[in-house]
């Protein structure tokens, strides 16, 4: 469930399936649970679907739904326990402790949720549920259990956002319900066919997540352009983006808002590139003019208009200018904080104090408070952001930054610090 | 030609459906009308697959419902004709009707009817009650649908948009697994629709709806990425305005060579992206050197190369840019300088393709230091340096591609012409290489 895998997911899933079947055949458990089902679930737990804006959901939750709906209750408890054990052992042998903990939390939560909901409903109706009703109940329990674990865990690999994960969960729930009903109606062979579209769905979500990654990287590269041209310190956009991302999480932004804010932060100096080269413009250029230029070229390049709009309002001419929205305040304060601190980690406290004192409007004050809270809870934030920016400086060994600048004095207006 | 295909398809479908009705029983009109209406409704909310150069091919949700109707009807004498008529409803796409493009309506109704008929014939012939043989029959039905559908659609779309059949096929075949996946899903839902009741529609509609939402979102993300790449190009051109249009031309020539060399669609796209980014190192080059009229001194040339290289190294820290940095780097630009490197051969070939494209455009465009050469002289320069500076396969590919398209570039045929403060001198053979920029002290 992390991006650092030493074995491909399919290999892990196959390994879990073989291990599960072997355990059952050896009669390790007194009355062995359905070996095939346990193996299938274990394999499915190790294959996950990437959620479009971050996080993953294990595909095996579809099998959990079908298992709880089809097997007698005690058998399903035993089968799920075997599957979870096998899956956890396979992950523990190949990946980190963090990944093992994540799989136990997420999948265990789904299993408990499914069993609990079915158990409660059967107690209420005082009898066994038919397959369709049991499958729907189990699906509700799976989704509820997984999202509950994700909401309350502090464990990053286990976290996924409700709004982003819901489409994935719905797709897997529909597959689980259909498989359960199909096994009852037309047998295992045709029912297994109903699971095949899950692979297509997984591919579609993976492709989407891959496209999102590529877009984020392209924006990251675009943020470097003003720095390559000597119009901002090298590493500034990367450090500012790290602060913006941390602030967005602290303030509880959803993934798409976070992406918008971080993108605007990365690109907030982009308008300086054409301005610097235009001989008709005077040497003194204000941050507001740079922001307007940046918004203009983003719109002309047909980037999403909400990013251009955010860029336009987020960079006012003075630090105490009121911000029209909390997103704009995040962009402004994140970039200003790095303007003040740069790669001097020891100056972080002073930077927080300066930013807080300059914040006048409600949005800026709220963001400043969040910044204070962030540094109190995560003292390594500045160090990590500086390290992220340093990888670009390390590659710039041959670059004479003073020579790159056009010498038009843009740096005299903005609080830049030239580094050679 | 297009009209002939449309009429032929329509007539063929009519004949086949009539034959099915004669051989079997009359259609089950309740199924035909109820399923058909839902199919038609869902067709008008299809997902358009956008591809460069094509009007568009679509993956439609009505297909699942058509397959479901096969399972609902089961193995009866009325199944084939009924399913063919259900499938025909897929062709009733309202925008075509509004535009009065009845030819395409006839074509689509006909080819969908024939595809559905093929699926129904295979399923009813080979199905049994349960077991893996039923799975095989279902798979065969989905494959039959796909084969007939693709056989009609690919040549028709190629004819309609003036594209090669191979190009249309290359765009369509990644979607083939969807035929199998969604067709089988539709069949399974059809088999258990008695148990599911109304929920059957939910179990079909939800995955398809989410799939459509994901694809639309993917398209938006991809568009944003393309816009970001365009922004990159604009910023590079803002740095060096006299080369406006250069990046796109290099990308075009690179794609020409990719097609001539038989590269896959994915590789050609990577070549295109790499070509669009090949001048990214210029961003770190001092403007006064980049646009200096006349030749650079050796020291100035060293600064240009050092800053260009540093700019590429910085951007290579980003995953997306890493493989493109190979093409942008001078290390692989020369054909005879690439041997023995650890870079994968695929990326080295890309660098060679872009080097040839870059050189061709440099020669056929007026620059600060020289007027544009004629296309013939540019070709002569490429041939004389093939095997040393340039990859000979790439040189041959570019010349063949341009000749085959009957296009002309260079002096007298320039598209983007700039006015320089100091008019650049005219030049002839031997003035193409960048080494000529260094002043002889």
């Amino acid at each position: 469930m992390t991006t650092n895998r030493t074995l491909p997911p399919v290999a892990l899933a196959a390994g879990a399936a073989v291990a599960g079947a072997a355990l059952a055949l050896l009669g390790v458990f007194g009355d062995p649970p359905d070996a095939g089902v346990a193996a299938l679930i274990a394999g499915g737990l190790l294959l996950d679907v990437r959620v479009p804006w971050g996080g993953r959901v294990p595909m095996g939750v579809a099998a959990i739904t079908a298992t709880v709906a089809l097997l007698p209750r005690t058998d399903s408890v035993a089968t799920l326990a075997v599957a979870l054990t096998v899956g956890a052992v396979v992950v523990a042998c190949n990946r980190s402790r963090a990944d093992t903990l994540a799989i136990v939390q997420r999948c265990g939560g789904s299993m408990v949720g499914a069993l609990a909901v079915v158990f409660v409903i059967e107690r209420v109706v005082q009898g066994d549920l038919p397959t369709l009703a049991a499958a729907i109940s189990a699906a509700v329990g799976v989704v509820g259990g997984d999202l509950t674990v994700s909401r309350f865990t502090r464990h990053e690999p286990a976290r996924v956002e409700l709004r982003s994960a819901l489409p994935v969960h719905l797709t897997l729930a529909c597959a689980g319900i259909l498989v359960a009903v199909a096994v009852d109606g037309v047998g295992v062979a045709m029912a297994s066919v109903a699971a095949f579209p899950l692979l297509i769905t997984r591919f579609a979500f993976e492709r989407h997540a891959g496209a999102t990654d590529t877009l984020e990287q392209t924006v990251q590269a675009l943020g470097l352009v003003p720095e390559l041209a000597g119009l901002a310190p090298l590493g500034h956009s990367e450090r500012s983006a790290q602060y913006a991302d941390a602030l967005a999480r602290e303030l509880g932004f959803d993934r798409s808002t976070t992406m918008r804010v971080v993108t605007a932060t990365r690109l907030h100096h982009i308008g300086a590139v054409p301005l610097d080269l235009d001989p008709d413009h005077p040497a003194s250029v204000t941050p507001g003019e740079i922001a307007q230029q940046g918004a203009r070229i983003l719109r002309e390049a047909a980037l999403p208009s909400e990013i251009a709009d955010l860029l336009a309002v987020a960079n006012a001419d003075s630090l105490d200018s009121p911000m029209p929205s909390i997103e704009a305040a995040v962009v402004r304060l994140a970039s200003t904080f790095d303007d003040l601190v740069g790669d001097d980690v020891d100056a972080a406290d002073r930077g927080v104090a300066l930013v807080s004192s300059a914040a006048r409007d409600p949005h800026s004050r709220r963001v400043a408070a969040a910044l204070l809270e962030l540094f109190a809870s995560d003292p390594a934030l500045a160090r990590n952001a500086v390290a992220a920016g340093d990888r670009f400086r390390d590659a710039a060994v041959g670059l004479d930054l003073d020579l790159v600048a056009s010498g038009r004095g843009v740096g005299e207006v903005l609080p830049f610090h030239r580094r050679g | 030609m297009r009209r002939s295909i449309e009429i032929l398809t329509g007539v063929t479908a009519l004949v086949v459906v009539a034959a099915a009705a004669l051989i079997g029983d009359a259609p089950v009109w309740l199924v035909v009308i109820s399923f058909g209406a839902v199919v038609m409704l869902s067709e008008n909310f299809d997902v358009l697959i956008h591809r460069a150069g094509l009007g568009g091919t679509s993956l439609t949700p009505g297909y699942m419902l058509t397959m479901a109707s096969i399972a609902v009807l089961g193995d009866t004498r009325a199944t084939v004709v009924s399913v063919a008529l259900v499938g025909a409803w897929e062709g009733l796409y309202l925008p075509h009707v509004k535009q009065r493009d009845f030819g395409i309506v006839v074509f689509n109704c006909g080819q969908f009817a024939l595809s559905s008929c093929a699926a129904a014939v295979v399923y009813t012939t080979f199905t049994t009650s349960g077991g893996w043989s039923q799975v095989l029959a279902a798979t065969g039905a989905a494959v039959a649908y796909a084969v007939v559908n693709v056989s009609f659609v690919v040549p028709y779309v190629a004819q309609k948009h003036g594209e090669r059949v191979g190009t249309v096929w290359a765009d369509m075949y990644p979607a083939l697994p969807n035929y199998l996946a969604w067709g089988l899903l539709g069949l399974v839902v059809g088999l258990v629709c008695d148990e599911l009741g109304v929920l059957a529609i939910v179990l079909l509609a939800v995955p398809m709806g989410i799939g459509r939402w994901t694809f639309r979102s993917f398209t938006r993300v991809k568009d944003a990425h393309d816009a970001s790449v365009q922004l990159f190009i604009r910023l590079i051109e803002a740095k060096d305005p006299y080369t406006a249009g250069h990046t796109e031309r290099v990308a075009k020539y690179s794609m020409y060579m990719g097609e001539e060399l038989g590269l896959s669609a994915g590789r050609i796209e990577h070549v295109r992206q790499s070509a669009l980014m090949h001048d990214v190192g210029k961003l770190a080059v001092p403007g006064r050197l980049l646009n200096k009229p006349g030749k650079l001194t050796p020291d100035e040339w060293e600064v240009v190369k050092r800053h260009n290289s540093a700019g590429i190294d910085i951007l290579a820290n980003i995953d997306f840019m890493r493989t493109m940095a190979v093409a942008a780097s001078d290390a692989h630009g020369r054909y005879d300088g690439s041997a023995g490197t650890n870079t994968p051969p695929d990326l080295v070939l890309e660098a060679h393709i872009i080097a040839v494209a870059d050189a061709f455009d440099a020669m056929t465009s007026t620059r600060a230091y020289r007027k544009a050469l004629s296309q013939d002289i540019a070709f002569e320069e490429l041939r004389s340096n093939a095997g040393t500076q340039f990859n000979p396969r790439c040189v041959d590919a570019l010349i063949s591609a341009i000749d085959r398209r009957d296009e002309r570039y260079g002096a007298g045929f320039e598209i983007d012409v700039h006015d320089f403060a100091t008019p650049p001198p005219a030049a002839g053979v031997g003035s193409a290489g960048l080494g000529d920029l260094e002043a002889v002290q």
Side-chain angles (χ1 to χ4, degrees):
Chain A
M1 294 204 186
T2 68
T3 55
N4 297 321
R5 299 174 191 271
T6 52
L7 279 179
V10 173
L12 284 179
V18 168
L23 275 174
L25 284 171
L26 286 171
V28 171
F29 302 95
D31 185 13
D34 190 306
V37 177
L40 190 68
I41 299 170
L45 296 182
L46 298 169
L47 266 181
D48 41 26
V49 181
R50 281 183 74 181
V51 173
W53 286 282
R56 293 169 182 270
V57 176
M59 278 178 72
V61 298
I64 293 172
T65 301
T67 302
V68 171
L70 288 167
L71 294 183
R73 299 297 162 248
T74 47
D75 279 359
S76 59
V77 170
T79 303
L80 292 177
V82 168
L84 185 60
T85 306
V86 168
V89 166
V90 171
V91 171
C93 292
N94 187 64
R95 294 191 212 153
S96 65
R97 217 174 123 188
D99 283 345
T100 308
L101 186 59
I103 199 174
V104 169
Q105 280 185 337
R106 294 284 302 280
C107 300
S110 300
M111 291 174 182
V112 168
L115 290 165
V117 170
V118 171
F119 177 81
V120 165
I121 293 177
E122 285 184 336
R123 285 294 162 275
V124 168
V125 303
Q126 294 179 347
D128 287 345
L129 290 173
T131 304
L132 178 58
I136 294 171
S137 308
V140 169
V142 160
V143 176
D146 184 48
L147 294 177
T148 303
V149 165
S150 183
R151 171 71 178 83
F152 290 106
T153 185
R154 287 193 168 274
H155 192 53
E156 191 61 40
R159 206 178 282 166
V160 71
E161 187 187 279
L162 168 65
R163 231 179 77 167
S164 303
L166 206 51
V168 178
H169 267 301
L170 279 176
T171 306
L172 293 171
C174 285
I177 294 169
L178 183 59
V179 165
V181 174
V183 166
D184 247 7
V186 290
V188 172
M190 269 311 275
S192 64
V193 152
F196 180 61
L198 281 180
L199 295 176
I200 304 291
T201 304
R202 182 172 184 264
F203 169 76
F205 281 117
E206 291 279 338
R207 185 178 60 174
H208 187 294
T212 307
D213 287 347
T214 304
L215 173 61
E216 286 177 359
Q217 289 165 14
T218 310
V219 169
Q220 190 180 29
L222 273 173
L224 282 172
V225 171
E227 296 165 24
L228 289 173
L231 300 169
L234 204 55
H236 171 60
S237 63
E238 186 62 32
R239 292 190 300 267
S240 302
Q242 297 279 323
Y243 299 135
D245 186 62
L247 280 167
R249 287 170 198 252
E250 183 70 21
L251 291 163
F253 289 178
D254 63 31
R255 297 275 182 178
S256 60
T257 305
T258 299
M259 194 172 169
R260 193 164 63 241
V261 163
V262 171
T263 301
T265 307
R266 285 195 189 279
L267 302 182
H268 71 280
H269 281 312
I270 205 93
V273 177
L275 274 179
D276 182 55
L277 296 168
D278 189 343
D280 292 331
H281 273 75
S284 294
V285 180
T286 65
E289 285 173 320
I290 289 175
Q292 292 304 321
Q293 268 297 328
R296 181 184 68 80
I297 62 177
L298 291 191
R299 290 191 190 104
E300 284 178 6
L303 260 82
S305 59
E306 52 267 23
I307 297 174
D309 295 341
L310 183 55
L311 197 94
V313 300
N315 288 284
D317 288 340
S318 64
L319 281 176
D320 54 3
S321 299
M323 289 288 108
S325 66
I326 190 142
E327 291 88 0
V330 169
V331 174
R332 177 64 175 164
L333 265 68
S335 55
T336 302
F337 179 78
D338 189 71
D339 286 337
L340 294 166
V341 173
D343 58 2
D344 184 2
V345 175
D346 296 328
D349 289 338
R350 196 172 70 245
V352 173
L354 279 169
V355 163
S356 299
S357 66
R360 297 272 186 268
D361 63 283
H363 296 305
S364 298
R365 281 203 300 270
R366 192 174 153 206
V367 174
L371 188 67
L372 198 63
E373 185 64 36
L374 260 179
F375 274 94
S377 61
D378 185 7
L381 176 61
R383 186 166 292 111
N384 292 337
V386 167
D390 274 351
R391 66 187 173 124
F392 299 113
R393 278 165 45 99
D394 292 342
V397 166
L399 205 58
D400 185 341
L401 284 162
D402 283 334
L403 192 60
V404 172
S406 64
R408 293 176 55 82
V410 172
E412 294 165 7
V413 177
L414 297 163
F416 292 154
H417 302 281
R418 290 246 181 255
R419 286 175 180 80
Chain B
M1 178 69 177
R2 183 186 143 191
R3 195 60 71 197
S4 304
I5 296 175
E6 288 163 357
I7 293 169
L8 188 63
T9 305
V11 167
T12 306
L14 277 172
V15 167
V16 167
V17 170
L22 284 170
I23 295 168
D25 284 344
V28 179
W29 291 111
L30 180 63
V31 170
V32 170
I33 291 169
S34 56
F35 269 81
V38 179
V39 161
M40 193 190 95
L41 273 174
S42 65
E43 285 307 299
N44 285 281
F45 294 95
D46 67 344
V47 178
L48 197 63
I49 301 173
H50 292 283
R51 297 286 180 182
L54 281 181
T57 52
S58 303
L59 188 64
T60 56
Y63 163 58
M64 271 205 305
L65 293 163
T66 305
M67 299 298 277
S69 70
I70 298 176
V72 166
L73 289 162
D75 183 13
T76 69
R77 290 170 58 83
T79 300
V80 173
V81 64
S82 302
V83 168
L85 289 173
V86 168
W89 285 75
E90 285 187 66
L92 294 176
Y93 186 55
L94 291 177
H96 291 154
V97 175
K98 281 182 193 168
Q99 289 160 17
R100 297 183 177 276
D101 192 351
F102 297 117
I104 195 172
V105 173
V106 166
F107 171 78
N108 276 332
C109 288
Q111 59 94 0
F112 281 131
L114 290 168
S115 306
S116 308
C117 186
V121 164
V122 170
Y123 186 78
T124 53
T125 304
F126 296 105
T127 192
T128 56
S129 54
W132 290 104
S133 59
Q134 192 177 24
V135 174
L136 284 174
T139 307
V143 169
Y145 187 104
V147 166
V148 175
N149 183 233
V150 167
S151 302
F152 277 91
V153 169
V154 167
Y156 180 75
V157 171
Q159 174 64 227
K160 188 180 172 198
H161 297 286
E163 290 285 337
R164 289 198 287 183
V165 167
T167 307
V168 178
W169 168 245
D171 278 341
M172 255 192 100
Y173 87 77
L176 287 181
N178 291 284
Y179 282 99
L180 198 60
W182 302 118
L184 291 174
L185 182 66
L187 271 165
V188 171
V189 171
L191 285 170
V192 296
C193 69
D194 282 343
E195 287 89 344
L196 289 172
V198 171
L199 196 58
I201 297 174
V202 174
L203 293 185
L204 278 180
V206 166
M208 202 68 190
I210 289 172
R212 190 163 68 227
W213 170 84
T214 306
F215 191 83
R216 283 197 204 285
S217 181
F218 164 76
T219 305
R220 275 198 302 272
V221 170
K222 205 159 169 324
D223 287 346
H225 173 251
D226 290 344
S228 302
V229 171
Q230 281 303 313
L231 181 53
F232 238 117
I233 297 166
R234 288 171 64 90
L235 290 170
I236 294 169
E237 290 179 350
K239 183 89 185 191
D240 186 3
Y242 298 120
T243 55
H246 163 70
T247 316
E248 276 98 346
R249 290 193 299 273
V250 170
K252 182 176 74 171
Y253 302 143
S254 299
M255 287 176 70
Y256 283 359
M257 280 183 269
E259 287 172 14
E260 288 293 314
L261 293 169
L263 301 187
S264 67
R267 286 285 311 283
I268 291 174
E269 176 60 19
H270 194 265
V271 169
R272 187 185 78 89
Q273 296 268 348
S274 299
L276 289 173
M277 295 292 195
H278 79 280
D279 271 339
V280 72
K282 272 186 193 174
L283 292 166
V285 175
R288 63 179 175 78
L289 297 181
L290 208 54
N291 300 315
K292 179 184 173 186
K295 296 185 177 181
L296 298 173
T297 64
D299 285 345
E300 288 171 337
W301 181 235
E302 278 307 310
V303 169
V304 168
K305 284 198 296 186
R306 196 173 75 236
H307 280 245
N308 185 69
S309 182
I312 293 164
D313 287 345
I314 289 167
L315 289 166
N317 275 279
I318 296 168
D319 286 346
F320 163 66
M321 304 286 297
R322 192 162 297 134
T323 53
M324 296 176 198
V326 172
S329 161
D330 291 334
H332 301 287
R334 276 192 77 93
Y335 174 65
D336 57 5
S338 305
T341 64
N342 293 325
T343 310
D346 286 355
L347 295 181
V348 173
L349 178 62
E350 280 188 23
H352 292 168
I353 287 172
I354 292 166
V356 169
D358 193 18
F360 179 72
D361 189 69
M363 285 189 276
T364 53
S365 310
T366 296
R367 296 291 178 87
Y369 51 85
R370 178 205 11 87
K371 280 190 181 168
L373 305 175
S374 71
Q375 180 166 298
D376 292 336
I377 292 177
F379 281 171
E380 196 181 321
E381 289 276 345
L382 288 176
R383 286 195 187 97
S384 66
N385 287 287
T388 52
Q389 187 175 356
F390 303 124
N391 185 319
R393 286 176 60 209
C394 299
V395 170
D396 290 341
L398 179 64
I399 294 172
S400 299
I402 290 174
D403 282 344
R404 190 164 56 79
R405 287 169 172 80
D406 202 24
E407 293 173 356
R408 297 291 298 176
Y409 300 99
F413 297 92
E414 282 187 272
I415 300 165
D416 298 300
V417 184
H418 301 279
D419 292 323
F420 291 90
T422 306
V429 176
S431 63
L434 282 177
D436 287 350
L437 292 179
E438 294 183 34
V440 175
Q441 296 285 344

